[in-house]
Amino acid sequence: MNQAKLYTKDLHLHYGEIHALKGVSMEFPARFVTALIGPSGCGKSTCLKTLNRMNDTVPGVKITGKVLLDGEDVYAKNVDVPTLRKKIGMVFQSPNPFPMSVYDNVAYGPRVHGLKNRLALDEIVEESLKAAAIWEEVKDRLKKPALRLSGGQQQRLCIARALATKPEILLMDEPTSALDPISTAKIEELAVELKKEYGIVIVTHNMQQAARISDYTAFFLLGNLVEHGPTSDIFSNPKEKRTEDYISGRFG
Amino acid sequence: MPELSVSISSITAKKRRPQEALLYGFIYLLSGGAAALVVCLIVYVLAKGLPAVSFAFLSSAENPILETVGIFPSIVNTLYIVFFSLLVSVPLGVGGAIYLNEYAKNRRLVRLIEFAAETLSGIPSILYGVFGYVFFCVLLKLQVSLIAGVLTLAVMVLPILLRTAQEALKAVPESYREGSRGLGAAKWYLIRTILLPCALKGILTGILLSVGRMVGESAALLLVAGGSAMYMPQGSVFAQLSRSGSTLSVALYRYAASRGDNDTAFGIAAVLLLIVVLLNLLTRFFAGRLEKK
């Protein structure tokens, strides 16, 4: 049997007429970084979003196949979606801190899941901000509006916010595409640091980024999972011609 | 190179081009004119109205036998109508906007309701008066009373509140909704913690617009709530609401139109002006406190 933390099995997704994922079967092991790469519209972001059911509310969406977390079907009828999203956290493409204080942003998730104890919240906020490598920068302005932080700081705050619900897996949807190179480097370092405790799935347009930080890489094209394996193999010795063409920059 | 020298001289030219100067002058003239008009109006109303305002004027009722005038009942009626109408229409309007924006799945129905609300917010108020008279006064047997006025005006401002609240909710970035969902928040939690606080300013604008319309309403209220200002408020709030009575605008209309008593009419206008300012400040104050929370 498959021992991976999270894996998909023959996953198909339709947005109305569009067949966006065509039978994706792959695994996302804990304590590794898995990168999803491919040209725009290839299905990599869609694939990421099916893992914590963020596509559910899109009108006309139809999903078949399986996503299994610790052997449990994520799409089973009796699944509690909030609990699922507590276990599988998410960081979005552009930083989206809420219009409230730094503290309240990080405490948002724990509060959603019913934590009210002030001391416990204080502790989680500090822990999460430290884990997201932003504690030193914001510890003196926890009560200040989060929207006053810089873009890179905002994105690390969003990572802290996602970590605050103590997830097991962290999904990152092009987390650095809106950031400058220095902030990008910080987020990349952070991803490598975080994989010691979390499974990380990152969608990226930037192949160098995938090569730098991921352990496994999956290449998507037109809704198909073309190739999936250890990052070093994908980049140095791709089995498929299409993968090689994309990685060497012949299209995309 | 003659062309180059021309372009350099035009960059360093200090003089504004004549058309531009003309345009600036025109714009200043227009905005100055608009501001002056408003200021003149306020000054004129206060100057003509304030002499009629005395303590007796503010604190007594009209007495046709002694031939004294007083607007206390009308002040109370105005406040009652504004307060209770908002009490009915704000929850309905904001709730409806939340439903249409965050829950409703049928986009065509939503567009239809939006179109209807837009049309309704533009029709003359006397139509609401006729509707209110037939529906609330006659059919529901509320007779000509303040409560019929409250309900009629609640219906009248509902489209305004609905549309402004909806626009305010639409303006909240989608990424907040996504982020909140990604943390496992249920919809109601998202609405309570993020959407409503973000939309508060827009909702407030809708409330202020509604207050303006209600305070200024005369025709519809004359029909459904009556025009008398002779009885001092007494008894329970409910008892007071079930009597008929005029608001300030209705009283103003009566004094000016049927009696030609312009001094009293201007006195009422001045009071009306001050009440509107007061209500605006009050709404802002409460909103400011809510926002801090």
Side-chain angles (χ1 to χ4, degrees):
Chain A
M1 272 311 287
N2 200 321
Q3 292 302 308
K5 180 83 188 159
L6 177 69
Y7 64 97
T8 67
K9 220 162 137 188
D10 196 31
L11 187 65
H12 287 263
L13 184 141
H14 296 259
Y15 292 124
E17 298 288 296
I18 302 159
H19 196 174
L21 287 180
K22 300 169 183 165
V24 173
S25 301
M26 68 177 288
E27 50 203 52
F28 304 91
R31 294 182 174 66
F32 289 100
V33 177
T34 306
L36 310 182
I37 62 168
S40 296
C42 67
K44 57 191 190 303
S45 273
T46 302
C47 179
L48 188 82
K49 284 180 183 165
T50 54
L51 300 179
N52 69 344
R53 295 185 57 167
M54 288 295 279
N55 280 328
D56 282 22
T57 51
V58 178
V61 75
K62 206 184 113 214
I63 299 166
T64 60
K66 283 202 161 106
V67 178
L68 293 120
L69 174 67
D70 292 324
E72 283 182 285
D73 187 357
V74 161
Y75 282 89
K77 280 222 170 65
N78 57 358
V79 163
D80 182 48
V81 178
T83 309
L84 168 70
R85 293 188 182 144
K86 183 173 178 297
K87 285 189 169 186
I88 306 183
M90 187 153 193
V91 176
F92 297 87
Q93 190 165 355
S94 38
N96 61 346
F98 302 136
M100 41 179 91
S101 72
V102 171
Y103 183 99
D104 287 338
N105 260 282
V106 183
Y108 194 89
R111 280 176 177 150
V112 163
H113 298 284
L115 186 64
K116 290 205 177 81
N117 183 303
R118 185 78 207 184
L119 288 173
L121 279 173
D122 285 352
E123 201 174 306
I124 288 181
V125 168
E126 183 172 343
E127 252 172 43
S128 309
L129 287 168
K130 277 180 175 159
I134 190 179
W135 172 250
E136 288 303 321
E137 290 157 71
V138 298
K139 66 180 177 193
D140 297 324
R141 41 178 172 160
L142 292 175
K143 296 286 161 202
K144 295 273 158 62
L147 293 173
R148 282 208 209 129
L149 300 177
S150 74
Q153 287 174 330
Q154 288 188 4
Q155 193 61 307
R156 276 178 287 144
L157 175 66
C158 290
I159 294 175
R161 188 175 69 188
L163 295 179
T165 61
K166 306 208 184 296
E168 294 164 12
I169 294 189
L170 193 59
L171 308 179
M172 304 174 111
D173 189 2
E174 297 183 36
T176 61
S177 63
L179 303 182
D180 63 88
I182 292 171
S183 304
T184 300
K186 279 190 185 155
I187 303 271
E188 287 182 7
E189 258 171 56
L190 187 56
V192 174
E193 189 60 34
L194 288 173
K195 78 173 181 184
K196 290 174 188 162
E197 287 189 54
Y198 307 91
I200 292 184
V201 187
I202 183 168
V203 166
T204 178
H205 261 300
N206 181 333
M207 276 178 289
Q208 286 74 32
Q209 183 169 68
R212 276 195 299 268
I213 67 174
S214 71
D215 303 291
Y216 296 95
T217 296
F219 171 60
F220 283 77
L221 190 62
L222 302 170
N224 291 302
L225 173 60
V226 175
E227 194 170 345
H228 172 219
T231 299
S232 52
D233 289 2
I234 298 278
F235 278 88
S236 59
N237 189 19
K239 292 189 191 71
E240 290 268 342
K241 179 85 171 66
R242 287 174 294 174
T243 313
E244 192 185 330
D245 286 351
Y246 181 71
I247 284 168
S248 57
R250 240 165 272 171
F251 71 94
Chain B
M1 290 188 287
E3 278 164 50
L4 190 66
S5 69
V6 165
S7 76
I8 283 173
S9 72
S10 78
I11 284 173
T12 52
K14 287 240 162 58
K15 253 196 294 176
R16 217 179 245 167
R17 302 236 299 284
Q19 303 100 300
E20 208 170 320
L22 203 70
L23 194 69
Y24 267 94
F26 196 57
I27 290 170
Y28 283 131
L29 200 74
L30 285 182
S31 39
L37 208 65
V38 173
V39 172
C40 283
L41 196 78
I42 292 173
V43 169
Y44 184 72
V45 167
L46 290 181
K48 275 207 77 155
L50 285 180
V53 178
S54 63
F55 182 72
F57 180 72
L58 291 174
S59 62
S60 65
E62 178 189 2
N63 191 327
I65 300 165
L66 298 172
E67 292 192 334
T68 57
V69 291
I71 58 164
F72 185 72
S74 295
I75 294 177
V76 173
N77 290 343
T78 304
L79 295 179
Y80 273 159
I81 291 230
V82 168
F83 178 76
F84 286 105
S85 295
L86 287 179
L87 205 64
V88 175
S89 58
V90 170
L92 281 176
V94 175
I98 290 174
Y99 174 74
L100 289 179
N101 230 42
E102 309 299 325
Y103 289 92
K105 291 251 158 62
N106 186 342
R107 295 319 297 172
R108 266 174 59 193
L109 184 70
V110 171
R111 272 202 295 276
L112 189 74
I113 294 175
E114 284 177 1
F115 178 71
E118 238 151 60
T119 312
L120 284 175
S121 59
I123 65 171
S125 59
I126 187 65
L127 289 176
Y128 288 100
V130 174
F131 165 77
Y133 184 75
V134 172
F135 188 73
F136 295 122
C137 302
V138 179
L139 201 69
L140 296 187
K141 299 197 168 64
L142 293 173
Q143 296 170 319
V144 174
S145 62
L146 285 178
I147 187 76
V150 163
L151 294 172
T152 304
L153 290 203
V155 173
M156 183 177 92
V157 297
L158 186 60
I160 304 176
L161 287 165
L162 184 80
R163 291 295 293 144
T164 47
Q166 230 194 328
E167 290 308 316
L169 285 170
K170 274 185 198 167
V172 180
E174 197 54 39
S175 66
Y176 293 168
R177 294 182 176 83
E178 236 185 5
S180 177
R181 266 196 312 134
L183 290 166
K187 211 163 220 173
W188 177 239
Y189 193 85
L190 160 75
I191 290 167
R192 204 158 53 78
T193 57
I194 296 177
L195 296 187
L196 282 181
C198 284
L200 191 68
K201 268 213 179 96
I203 293 171
L204 199 69
T205 309
I207 293 178
L208 288 179
L209 279 172
S210 304
V211 168
R213 265 201 92 173
M214 288 193 281
V215 169
E217 185 50 51
S218 53
L221 281 177
L222 197 58
L223 207 57
V224 298
S228 92
M230 288 187 282
Y231 306 107
M232 287 298 275
Q234 50 181 276
S236 68
V237 172
F238 184 77
Q240 290 178 39
L241 284 177
S242 50
R243 269 201 297 270
S244 76
S246 67
T247 61
L248 285 168
S249 292
V250 174
L252 195 160
Y253 167 78
R254 272 194 318 114
Y255 278 111
S258 54
R259 301 198 191 167
D261 184 354
N262 280 340
D263 293 342
T264 306
F266 268 106
I268 296 176
V271 173
L272 208 51
L273 202 70
L274 295 176
I275 284 185
V276 171
V277 171
L278 218 70
L279 284 175
N280 279 7
L281 290 177
L282 208 71
T283 322
R284 265 166 221 275
F285 172 74
F286 278 120
R289 297 204 36 179
L290 272 176
E291 214 162 55
K292 267 189 204 136
K293 274 188 191 172

